Amino acid sequence: QVQLEESGGGLVQAGGSLGLSCAPSGRIRSIKTMGWYRQAPGKQRELVAVITSEGNTNYADSVKGRFTISRDNAKNTVYLQMNSLKPEDTAVYYCNARIIAAATVAYEANYWGQGTQVTVSS
């Protein structure tokens, strides 16, 4: 089955930077929208940023000007560069991708990564 492998994350001081990567694997025909979500303890999962296959992007208001989402279509990989991190950015970050899988009958589904912890200390 299709899997999304996340890398990056870690502990950083406020004002620092981190970069996340997400590389899908499996029987993939094409990938449409890719994005990043995050969930802090006791809070709902929220959209951080999304990017289409054409490169169009959308960001949560809380991260505009600080985070940058990008993708490498040749590698089917999506990235999230996080700058000027704040303690409120602390959360588990999840990669998300809308993928058309290659199977007997092609099908489109929404896939999630395992999540990676981002902790920003004050």
Side-chain angles (χ1 to χ4, degrees):
Q1 60 182 1
V2 173
Q3 292 184 293
L4 274 57
E5 183 67 26
E6 296 184 29
S7 62
L11 175 64
V12 65
Q13 293 183 336
S17 300
L18 286 173
L20 306 180
S21 299
C22 176
S25 64
R27 301 152 79 101
I28 298 170
R29 184 166 72 85
S30 64
I31 301 177
K32 294 187 175 181
T33 301
M34 304 184 76
W36 293 91
Y37 292 70
R38 67 186 181 186
Q39 186 169 23
K43 298 183 179 180
Q44 298 293 319
R45 184 174 298 186
E46 65 175 349
L47 174 68
V48 176
V50 295
I51 184 169
T52 69
S53 59
E54 294 77 26
N56 298 317
T57 60
N58 188 44
Y59 296 89
D61 289 339
S62 60
V63 306
K64 287 182 178 178
R66 300 188 298 119
F67 291 10
T68 302
I69 188 170
S70 61
R71 64 189 290 171
D72 185 335
N73 290 336
K75 298 179 179 180
N76 289 331
T77 301
V78 64
Y79 308 93
L80 184 68
Q81 179 63 43
M82 304 181 291
N83 299 324
S84 301
L85 283 162
K86 305 175 180 179
E88 50 263 44
D89 294 319
T90 296
V92 176
Y93 284 69
Y94 296 90
C95 178
N96 174 265
R98 189 73 177 176
I99 296 174
I100 298 177
T104 304
V105 178
Y107 63 95
E108 183 175 339
N110 201 39
Y111 293 88
W112 292 91
Q114 78 282 359
T116 184
Q117 178 70 47
V118 172
T119 301
V120 184
S121 62
S122 59

